[in-house]
PDB file of all heavy atoms in Angstrom:
ATOM      1  N   HIS A1123      65.026  93.621 152.355  1.00 95.00           N
ATOM      2  CA  HIS A1123      64.921  92.694 153.541  1.00 95.00           C
ATOM      3  C   HIS A1123      64.928  93.463 154.846  1.00 95.00           C
ATOM      4  O   HIS A1123      64.108  93.234 155.672  1.00 95.00           O
ATOM      5  CB  HIS A1123      66.082  91.705 153.411  1.00 95.00           C
ATOM      6  CG  HIS A1123      65.960  90.520 154.360  1.00 95.00           C
ATOM      7  ND1 HIS A1123      66.986  89.713 154.617  1.00 95.00           N
ATOM      8  CD2 HIS A1123      64.948  90.101 155.061  1.00 95.00           C
ATOM      9  CE1 HIS A1123      66.582  88.803 155.440  1.00 95.00           C
ATOM     10  NE2 HIS A1123      65.361  88.958 155.759  1.00 95.00           N
ATOM     11  N   SER A1124      65.915  94.349 155.040  1.00 89.00           N
ATOM     12  CA  SER A1124      66.088  94.887 156.386  1.00 89.00           C
ATOM     13  C   SER A1124      66.193  96.447 156.454  1.00 89.00           C
ATOM     14  O   SER A1124      65.685  96.994 157.374  1.00 89.00           O
ATOM     15  CB  SER A1124      67.272  94.270 157.034  1.00 89.00           C
ATOM     16  OG  SER A1124      68.394  94.315 156.210  1.00 89.00           O
ATOM     17  N   LYS A1125      66.825  97.042 155.477  1.00 86.00           N
ATOM     18  CA  LYS A1125      67.063  98.468 155.660  1.00 86.00           C
ATOM     19  C   LYS A1125      66.843  99.205 154.362  1.00 86.00           C
ATOM     20  O   LYS A1125      67.332  98.805 153.235  1.00 86.00           O
ATOM     21  CB  LYS A1125      68.580  98.600 156.038  1.00 86.00           C
ATOM     22  CG  LYS A1125      68.843  99.887 156.773  1.00 86.00           C
ATOM     23  CD  LYS A1125      70.272  99.884 157.345  1.00 86.00           C
ATOM     24  CE  LYS A1125      71.148 100.885 156.702  1.00 86.00           C
ATOM     25  NZ  LYS A1125      72.385 100.603 156.244  1.00 86.00           N
ATOM     26  N   ILE A1126      66.131 100.334 154.422  1.00 87.00           N
ATOM     27  CA  ILE A1126      65.940 101.201 153.180  1.00 87.00           C
ATOM     28  C   ILE A1126      67.207 101.876 152.898  1.00 87.00           C
ATOM     29  O   ILE A1126      67.815 102.461 153.840  1.00 87.00           O
ATOM     30  CB  ILE A1126      64.791 102.137 153.391  1.00 87.00           C
ATOM     31  CG1 ILE A1126      63.440 101.381 153.509  1.00 87.00           C
ATOM     32  CG2 ILE A1126      64.667 103.172 152.238  1.00 87.00           C
ATOM     33  CD1 ILE A1126      62.203 102.161 153.617  1.00 87.00           C
ATOM     34  N   PRO A1127      67.727 101.826 151.657  1.00 89.00           N
ATOM     35  CA  PRO A1127      68.988 102.551 151.399  1.00 89.00           C
ATOM     36  C   PRO A1127      68.891 104.053 151.623  1.00 89.00           C
ATOM     37  O   PRO A1127      67.817 104.580 151.501  1.00 89.00           O
ATOM     38  CB  PRO A1127      69.213 102.203 149.890  1.00 89.00           C
ATOM     39  CG  PRO A1127      68.039 101.548 149.369  1.00 89.00           C
ATOM     40  CD  PRO A1127      67.085 101.205 150.452  1.00 89.00           C
ATOM     41  N   SER A1128      70.058 104.572 151.944  1.00 89.00           N
ATOM     42  CA  SER A1128      70.025 106.033 152.283  1.00 89.00           C
ATOM     43  C   SER A1128      70.125 106.952 151.039  1.00 89.00           C
ATOM     44  O   SER A1128      69.923 108.126 151.164  1.00 89.00           O
ATOM     45  CB  SER A1128      71.199 106.338 153.241  1.00 89.00           C
ATOM     46  OG  SER A1128      72.398 105.842 152.655  1.00 89.00           O
ATOM     47  N   ASP A1129      70.370 106.345 149.884  1.00 93.00           N
ATOM     48  CA  ASP A1129      70.521 107.140 148.627  1.00 93.00           C
ATOM     49  C   ASP A1129      69.220 107.868 148.257  1.00 93.00           C
ATOM     50  O   ASP A1129      68.290 107.195 147.747  1.00 93.00           O
ATOM     51  CB  ASP A1129      71.026 106.208 147.528  1.00 93.00           C
ATOM     52  CG  ASP A1129      71.291 106.896 146.178  1.00 93.00           C
ATOM     53  OD1 ASP A1129      70.660 107.946 145.938  1.00 93.00           O
ATOM     54  OD2 ASP A1129      72.205 106.444 145.499  1.00 93.00           O
ATOM     55  N   LYS A1130      69.161 109.204 148.431  1.00 94.00           N
ATOM     56  CA  LYS A1130      67.974 109.970 148.286  1.00 94.00           C
ATOM     57  C   LYS A1130      67.518 109.902 146.815  1.00 94.00           C
ATOM     58  O   LYS A1130      66.342 109.700 146.536  1.00 94.00           O
ATOM     59  CB  LYS A1130      68.274 111.417 148.698  1.00 94.00           C
ATOM     60  CG  LYS A1130      67.035 112.252 148.869  1.00 94.00           C
ATOM     61  CD  LYS A1130      67.442 113.502 149.714  1.00 94.00           C
ATOM     62  CE  LYS A1130      66.332 114.583 149.601  1.00 94.00           C
ATOM     63  NZ  LYS A1130      66.408 115.436 148.442  1.00 94.00           N
ATOM     64  N   ASN A1131      68.491 110.050 145.952  1.00 96.00           N
ATOM     65  CA  ASN A1131      68.140 110.057 144.473  1.00 96.00           C
ATOM     66  C   ASN A1131      67.489 108.736 144.044  1.00 96.00           C
ATOM     67  O   ASN A1131      66.449 108.755 143.398  1.00 96.00           O
ATOM     68  CB  ASN A1131      69.449 110.291 143.712  1.00 96.00           C
ATOM     69  CG  ASN A1131      69.241 110.353 142.236  1.00 96.00           C
ATOM     70  OD1 ASN A1131      68.274 110.939 141.799  1.00 96.00           O
ATOM     71  ND2 ASN A1131      70.131 109.710 141.471  1.00 96.00           N
ATOM     72  N   TRP A1132      68.041 107.662 144.530  1.00 97.00           N
ATOM     73  CA  TRP A1132      67.460 106.345 144.183  1.00 97.00           C
ATOM     74  C   TRP A1132      66.067 106.176 144.822  1.00 97.00           C
ATOM     75  O   TRP A1132      65.088 105.802 144.139  1.00 97.00           O
ATOM     76  CB  TRP A1132      68.397 105.255 144.722  1.00 97.00           C
ATOM     77  CG  TRP A1132      67.992 103.849 144.369  1.00 97.00           C
ATOM     78  CD1 TRP A1132      68.439 103.139 143.253  1.00 97.00           C
ATOM     79  CD2 TRP A1132      67.140 102.980 145.061  1.00 97.00           C
ATOM     80  NE1 TRP A1132      67.879 101.867 143.267  1.00 97.00           N
ATOM     81  CE2 TRP A1132      67.085 101.745 144.377  1.00 97.00           C
ATOM     82  CE3 TRP A1132      66.405 103.035 146.258  1.00 97.00           C
ATOM     83  CZ2 TRP A1132      66.349 100.619 144.780  1.00 97.00           C
ATOM     84  CZ3 TRP A1132      65.670 101.958 146.682  1.00 97.00           C
ATOM     85  CH2 TRP A1132      65.615 100.777 145.921  1.00 97.00           C
ATOM     86  N   ASN A1133      65.927 106.531 146.081  1.00 96.00           N
ATOM     87  CA  ASN A1133      64.640 106.462 146.736  1.00 96.00           C
ATOM     88  C   ASN A1133      63.522 107.209 146.089  1.00 96.00           C
ATOM     89  O   ASN A1133      62.414 106.757 145.950  1.00 96.00           O
ATOM     90  CB  ASN A1133      64.739 106.886 148.214  1.00 96.00           C
ATOM     91  CG  ASN A1133      65.305 105.779 149.149  1.00 96.00           C
ATOM     92  OD1 ASN A1133      64.666 104.710 149.174  1.00 96.00           O
ATOM     93  ND2 ASN A1133      66.421 105.920 149.753  1.00 96.00           N
ATOM     94  N   GLU A1134      63.898 108.426 145.651  1.00 97.00           N
ATOM     95  CA  GLU A1134      62.855 109.246 145.071  1.00 97.00           C
ATOM     96  C   GLU A1134      62.327 108.728 143.789  1.00 97.00           C
ATOM     97  O   GLU A1134      61.208 109.037 143.383  1.00 97.00           O
ATOM     98  CB  GLU A1134      63.516 110.691 144.830  1.00 97.00           C
ATOM     99  CG  GLU A1134      63.493 111.542 146.100  1.00 97.00           C
ATOM    100  CD  GLU A1134      64.198 112.831 145.948  1.00 97.00           C
ATOM    101  OE1 GLU A1134      64.684 113.140 144.774  1.00 97.00           O
ATOM    102  OE2 GLU A1134      64.339 113.567 146.932  1.00 97.00           O
ATOM    103  N   LYS A1135      63.133 107.896 143.048  1.00 98.00           N
ATOM    104  CA  LYS A1135      62.711 107.309 141.817  1.00 98.00           C
ATOM    105  C   LYS A1135      61.739 106.185 141.964  1.00 98.00           C
ATOM    106  O   LYS A1135      60.978 105.770 141.091  1.00 98.00           O
ATOM    107  CB  LYS A1135      63.880 106.913 140.981  1.00 98.00           C
ATOM    108  CG  LYS A1135      64.753 108.107 140.656  1.00 98.00           C
ATOM    109  CD  LYS A1135      65.507 107.868 139.416  1.00 98.00           C
ATOM    110  CE  LYS A1135      66.070 109.267 138.980  1.00 98.00           C
ATOM    111  NZ  LYS A1135      67.342 109.296 138.439  1.00 98.00           N
ATOM    112  N   MET A1136      61.676 105.596 143.215  1.00 98.00           N
ATOM    113  CA  MET A1136      60.899 104.482 143.414  1.00 98.00           C
ATOM    114  C   MET A1136      59.391 104.892 143.799  1.00 98.00           C
ATOM    115  O   MET A1136      59.219 105.903 144.363  1.00 98.00           O
ATOM    116  CB  MET A1136      61.393 103.602 144.677  1.00 98.00           C
ATOM    117  CG  MET A1136      62.733 103.028 144.439  1.00 98.00           C
ATOM    118  SD  MET A1136      62.847 101.996 142.998  1.00 98.00           S
ATOM    119  CE  MET A1136      64.272 102.800 142.144  1.00 98.00           C
ATOM    120  N   ASP A1137      58.471 104.099 143.331  1.00 98.00           N
ATOM    121  CA  ASP A1137      57.129 104.358 143.703  1.00 98.00           C
ATOM    122  C   ASP A1137      56.921 104.024 145.178  1.00 98.00           C
ATOM    123  O   ASP A1137      56.273 104.767 145.893  1.00 98.00           O
ATOM    124  CB  ASP A1137      56.184 103.456 142.816  1.00 98.00           C
ATOM    125  CG  ASP A1137      54.722 103.826 142.958  1.00 98.00           C
ATOM    126  OD1 ASP A1137      54.458 105.058 143.026  1.00 98.00           O
ATOM    127  OD2 ASP A1137      53.897 102.965 143.081  1.00 98.00           O
ATOM    128  N   LYS A1138      57.480 102.846 145.607  1.00 97.00           N
ATOM    129  CA  LYS A1138      57.464 102.441 146.981  1.00 97.00           C
ATOM    130  C   LYS A1138      58.757 101.698 147.228  1.00 97.00           C
ATOM    131  O   LYS A1138      59.308 100.995 146.382  1.00 97.00           O
ATOM    132  CB  LYS A1138      56.337 101.503 147.283  1.00 97.00           C
ATOM    133  CG  LYS A1138      54.982 102.040 147.130  1.00 97.00           C
ATOM    134  CD  LYS A1138      53.918 100.983 147.605  1.00 97.00           C
ATOM    135  CE  LYS A1138      52.517 101.433 147.392  1.00 97.00           C
ATOM    136  NZ  LYS A1138      52.158 101.802 145.996  1.00 97.00           N
ATOM    137  N   VAL A1139      59.231 101.763 148.513  1.00 97.00           N
ATOM    138  CA  VAL A1139      60.268 100.857 148.988  1.00 97.00           C
ATOM    139  C   VAL A1139      59.710 100.187 150.223  1.00 97.00           C
ATOM    140  O   VAL A1139      59.295 100.869 151.207  1.00 97.00           O
ATOM    141  CB  VAL A1139      61.525 101.594 149.333  1.00 97.00           C
ATOM    142  CG1 VAL A1139      62.662 100.639 149.749  1.00 97.00           C
ATOM    143  CG2 VAL A1139      62.042 102.445 148.089  1.00 97.00           C
ATOM    144  N   LEU A1140      59.556  98.895 150.223  1.00 97.00           N
ATOM    145  CA  LEU A1140      58.966  98.170 151.325  1.00 97.00           C
ATOM    146  C   LEU A1140      60.007  97.276 152.004  1.00 97.00           C
ATOM    147  O   LEU A1140      60.896  96.694 151.311  1.00 97.00           O
ATOM    148  CB  LEU A1140      57.785  97.317 150.838  1.00 97.00           C
ATOM    149  CG  LEU A1140      56.679  98.009 150.093  1.00 97.00           C
ATOM    150  CD1 LEU A1140      55.693  96.913 149.557  1.00 97.00           C
ATOM    151  CD2 LEU A1140      55.971  99.024 150.995  1.00 97.00           C
ATOM    152  N   ILE A1141      59.883  97.122 153.335  1.00 97.00           N
ATOM    153  CA  ILE A1141      60.834  96.294 154.088  1.00 97.00           C
ATOM    154  C   ILE A1141      60.050  95.032 154.543  1.00 97.00           C
ATOM    155  O   ILE A1141      58.986  95.140 155.091  1.00 97.00           O
ATOM    156  CB  ILE A1141      61.374  96.990 155.314  1.00 97.00           C
ATOM    157  CG1 ILE A1141      62.181  98.207 154.863  1.00 97.00           C
ATOM    158  CG2 ILE A1141      62.292  96.026 156.071  1.00 97.00           C
ATOM    159  CD1 ILE A1141      62.859  98.930 156.038  1.00 97.00           C
ATOM    160  N   GLY A1142      60.639  93.894 154.341  1.00 97.00           N
ATOM    161  CA  GLY A1142      59.970  92.696 154.867  1.00 97.00           C
ATOM    162  C   GLY A1142      60.756  91.452 154.520  1.00 97.00           C
ATOM    163  O   GLY A1142      61.703  91.501 153.686  1.00 97.00           O
TER     164      GLY A1142
END
Side-chain angles (χ1 to χ4, degrees):
H1123 193 193
S1124 48
K1125 204 171 114 228
I1126 292 184
S1128 54
D1129 184 328
K1130 195 164 165 275
N1131 181 41
W1132 185 92
N1133 274 301
E1134 278 174 3
K1135 296 206 166 142
M1136 298 304 127
D1137 190 42
K1138 294 185 186 57
V1139 182
L1140 303 175
I1141 299 186

